[in-house]
Amino acid sequence: MIKHDHSRWGAGDQLGAGNLLTQERRLAALRAIRGGQLYDLSHEISPGAPFMAPNQTPFLMSIWASWRDSIGRRRRMGATNDAGSNVERAEMTMHVGTHIDALGHFSIGDHLYNGLPAAEVVTDWGLERLGIEHTPPMISRGVLLDVSGFDGGPYLSPGRVVTPSDLARAADAAGVAVEPGDIVLIHTGWGRFFGVDNKRYLEGEAGIDVPGARWLTEREVVAIGCDNMAVEVLPNPDRGMALPVHQHVLAEAGVHLIENLVLDELARDRVATFCFILLATKFKGATGCPVRPVALV
Amino acid sequence: MIKHDHSRWGAGDQLGAGNLLTQERRLAALRAIRGGQLYDLSHEISPGAPFMAPNQTPFLMSIWASWRDSIGRRRRMGATNDAGSNVERAEMTMHVGTHIDALGHFSIGDHLYNGLPAAEVVTDWGLERLGIEHTPPMISRGVLLDVSGFDGGPYLSPGRVVTPSDLARAADAAGVAVEPGDIVLIHTGWGRFFGVDNKRYLEGEAGIDVPGARWLTEREVVAIGCDNMAVEVLPNPDRGMALPVHQHVLAEAGVHLIENLVLDELARDRVATFCFILLATKFKGATGCPVRPVALV
Amino acid sequence: MIKHDHSRWGAGDQLGAGNLLTQERRLAALRAIRGGQLYDLSHEISPGAPFMAPNQTPFLMSIWASWRDSIGRRRRMGATNDAGSNVERAEMTMHVGTHIDALGHFSIGDHLYNGLPAAEVVTDWGLERLGIEHTPPMISRGVLLDVSGFDGGPYLSPGRVVTPSDLARAADAAGVAVEPGDIVLIHTGWGRFFGVDNKRYLEGEAGIDVPGARWLTEREVVAIGCDNMAVEVLPNPDRGMALPVHQHVLAEAGVHLIENLVLDELARDRVATFCFILLATKFKGATGCPVRPVALV
Amino acid sequence: MIKHDHSRWGAGDQLGAGNLLTQERRLAALRAIRGGQLYDLSHEISPGAPFMAPNQTPFLMSIWASWRDSIGRRRRMGATNDAGSNVERAEMTMHVGTHIDALGHFSIGDHLYNGLPAAEVVTDWGLERLGIEHTPPMISRGVLLDVSGFDGGPYLSPGRVVTPSDLARAADAAGVAVEPGDIVLIHTGWGRFFGVDNKRYLEGEAGIDVPGARWLTEREVVAIGCDNMAVEVLPNPDRGMALPVHQHVLAEAGVHLIENLVLDELARDRVATFCFILLATKFKGATGCPVRPVALV
């Protein structure tokens, strides 16, 4: 089993590598923007979004109040301006579509990040600590590592491990060195099947295993993102290991994971570095949340 | 009744004033950032968030899958690394907490923004057009108009109309002119009661009426935000009018509304202009979504 | 299109054939019970229950409050008896598992049963009239019509119409005549695939078409039940007709439909008539509800 | 703390006093019906139903698919008969309105009924054992114990303990002796505030304490029902005890609790005994379910 080490940021820390999101790095990332071009890195979220049962669950949304009835209700209360409201109700997992994982999303046995005991932190109604509301706004340098073509096609196949040398090779090809405070996004090409062929999208994926994850966390990245469900290779080559990258990245290293990203345009334009912005909605105690990250160049 | 005028951006337009979010304005707003200090403009979202029944509805969240059981399930499938997942399920309105309204959120009678017929656009499962997925990432100049002290106290009282002259006075005091592409945030001081005294927070609010809204939409703002539930004054002084500002701003002018903002720190620091960033999650067909806007200076 | 005729029970009627559930018939059905043997006619309801998208939706249930946390909360409030509560939250359609349809479940164009205008009755939050809360407790004579073996096997295949002569033949074989106030249950043998092979269960079904439905409604039955999703044949032989039996039975005749029944034991024991009991939970304004009907002999 | 004793019905038992629901008792109860008059003992369930936060939660229901859109969808698929479906979606606790508690609803510390370990039985998604699907159809003799007038008014006040001698007095007044297999319903008069004055309904209630509960379980009743939220007195006179009656009745005695009953008409008509019918919907693993019990005389 992976060992848990306590945070270098102190016993009370809930930010993990978020501590690296300094104002200096933020300003540097903003200052590096040249023309202001924006890339939207997220999918649309709908009932057609893929999900991995049984822990992930269907996204359902329907109109709760609609214009006809709300106009009628307001008329009966004396209004004459026929203002119709349209408001929906959603039933959802926070891990739907393009989303970020909170540090408390995964445990190593009975412990979470920073040695926090899951039995105390995880309550019926969410996380007492390490919830997504503690994730700082992310405005820092983004780095794209494009490994999609490493097997000769437009994407890597399920079960293909993205190794440390793959990551190094992609960085070299892009002429970039991963640095502390970076958000690293890995392009496998698999995102093309999201919402288009969900069965295929869910049957497995190329991604990093623990060595690749360590290669990144050792470089002190703040978050690791990918254009697949789990960032990590599925199924794991070691069938006795279930989601070990989640354990290392979230619970050991205090680094965030960002999943189901849209990276094709960044890759197409060979954008190596950019100002990455992700603003996680502060759902108190949630283990993650859907987001709309963007890249600015 | 308020008349509806067709969009100046063409029959097919779904962006409204979002068309003003040009790359130039984005770059200008980014370039105006000096030190990179960040203000978080959002509340935490929890079951304790206030909501206006019956159109708005309770926020509920509970753990769906937790570490104990997910470890057990994975052991039974042969895993030995005791990876525990914590994943919740949320039931919610998209108008919970700090959120943005999509252009299709309100109708004037049977028509939505750009003359679109509500009977065709509003379906059982959301908006066929004008949903929040069409709202562009907002990175533009933000302007704070602080009217909170205009009655001598720290906040304006429910039913107090914020008039065009109030807005002009606040702009003058800040030494700023509202310009096309701006996001204008109005500080009434009412946000102090959000989640602290929900009964009071919901019993009414100071805010703009249609003249104040027109003063802003005529200046071609992209969005209007406020530290209250509805941006607009509640109850409306004309008891025959229900939410007329929503009708004008969303359905006539194609301008977004941002509600339940946290503006106290911006006001305390007398920040007049800033780079405003709001990245609305692309829930397909939704009439709005919770967000985490920030201000950079 | 099927024509709508107004109720013979008056303009305000919401009961339809439920008016036939007289105290006399109830008493007669109860008096006909001999040994008191009970047959449970319902499936268990779980996330594994089949549903017909998009109108029917997934059944989701998870623990909301559990013993560990509720004991902890109560200890903190001073309790010493360690009472642990287990309470779940369910998200569901009312048409899950073995269930009954309310009269307002289906329209013929813009009209519901008894000529009621759907535009007035169907609101954002349910039915203003004809909801399941108006369905009387059903305690009346049940009749089993077993057609399952009519094609030589243990069940009829999808698309197989159960005709009036099939119904007459089954009644003759059982030595029973359908009478006013009866609840008629049709055994096709298809129930064996419920929850066992949902793909197959949903791909179509044998059942009555409009002639078979009329054969029953003319005999003044109170409800028609079946061991399949929709009582009626799917797909309809006339591909221009979608669910015409629902229209005739619910909206024209004011007769209830009971779906996903478990009838194998009744059929095995060749039970022709019995005391049928179904107690629809009074969800106000709902278009149906899951139930646990039983037969007593 | 209350001690837990193992079931007299064996180590594998999940029925508890449900074992007393013999065919003989069922037949006797049915045979005792005279005229066939029916009393509906349940409230309507709606968003206006009271609930005890935080373990109980709001009932929400809204139309998921409606006639206009479903007709449109079917037209686009080639149908010409304009069949409009109305189907809702509900979000709910199983403990809403008139409902029955499953034996697994409450623990004594870490144990449930029959010594079953809560840590094994209570999963993320419900009860592995002791769920409501194991509750047999209840058709047995019902006994009404009317204590509502014992303090001189039409109802007993919150905090008023209904003692064993109160129960004996009510039984004597009715000329009935509680016997094995009975379902005993206690009329306190408090049901008049359900949905009418929820604040009052929830602020406390008269009801039995552990001695009254033991008086009933010693007489081998199958279930205890009441016209209040919890059957038991709230708040408990011993402020160190939270819901001890739930612990004794469910987890020790294996007897069901039925809550939020409507008993006024039975009491008004001085109905002492009756045939009680309650058919709990088989939600697999649920800790209870809403029901529509009836009484027949």
Side-chain angles (χ1 to χ4, degrees), chain B residues 24-255:
Chain B
E24 279 181 357
R25 288 195 176 101
R26 182 190 308 143
L27 194 58
L30 290 163
R31 290 254 159 94
I33 296 169
R34 287 146 294 169
Q37 189 183 351
L38 182 146
Y39 293 86
D40 187 334
L41 309 181
S42 65
H43 291 286
E44 286 185 1
I45 293 174
S46 78
F51 61 95
M52 294 182 79
N55 293 338
Q56 293 182 353
T57 46
F59 178 82
L60 294 155
M61 190 180 90
S62 75
I63 287 292
W64 170 266
S66 64
W67 60 283
R68 284 190 192 88
D69 281 15
S70 53
I71 287 174
R73 286 191 295 272
R74 287 177 177 134
R75 279 187 186 169
R76 288 190 292 275
M77 295 172 70
T80 61
N81 60 324
D82 282 359
S85 294
N86 300 306
V87 184
E88 64 284 284
R89 185 120 179 119
E91 306 161 49
M92 56 184 272
T93 171
M94 289 294 174
H95 296 260
V96 65
T98 306
H99 69 276
I100 183 167
D101 292 347
L103 297 189
H105 174 43
F106 255 70
S107 79
I108 302 171
D110 58 5
H111 278 73
L112 302 172
Y113 168 73
N114 208 3
L116 288 168
E120 289 176 19
V121 171
V122 184
T123 75
D124 285 338
W125 302 318
L127 302 175
E128 288 289 314
R129 308 193 70 188
L130 305 176
I132 198 67
E133 76 274 24
H134 297 291
T135 300
M138 287 188 182
I139 304 177
S140 196
R141 189 176 80 145
V143 172
L144 182 74
L145 298 183
D146 186 359
V147 298
S148 63
F150 282 10
D151 288 348
Y155 55 83
L156 301 185
S157 295
R160 166 44 154 107
V161 176
V162 176
T163 64
S165 60
D166 288 326
L167 297 174
R169 178 181 159 197
D172 288 348
V176 63
V178 175
E179 293 174 4
D182 282 353
I183 286 95
V184 173
L185 310 184
I186 302 167
H187 181 242
T188 69
W190 200 242
R192 74 190 60 213
F193 299 117
F194 179 103
V196 174
D197 185 348
N198 284 342
K199 188 165 180 296
R200 184 167 187 179
Y201 190 72
L202 292 166
E203 77 191 359
E205 64 190 33
I208 53 173
D209 198 353
V210 174
R214 287 194 182 281
W215 190 88
L216 290 163
T217 59
E218 283 165 6
R219 277 159 183 75
E220 301 201 313
V221 301
V222 166
I224 308 169
C226 199
D227 58 348
N228 58 20
M229 286 296 289
V231 178
E232 67 185 288
V233 61
L234 292 180
N236 196 283
D238 177 348
R239 299 305 161 93
M241 297 298 271
L243 298 162
V245 170
H246 273 65
Q247 290 184 299
H248 169 65
V249 174
L250 297 168
E252 278 194 326
V255 166

Side-chain angles (χ1 to χ4, degrees), chain B residues 37-41 265-266 268-269 271 293-297:
Chain B
Q37 189 183 351
L38 182 146
Y39 293 86
D40 187 334
L41 309 181
E265 293 191 7
L266 275 186
R268 180 201 62 199
D269 292 354
V271 177
V294 297
L296 293 168
V297 292

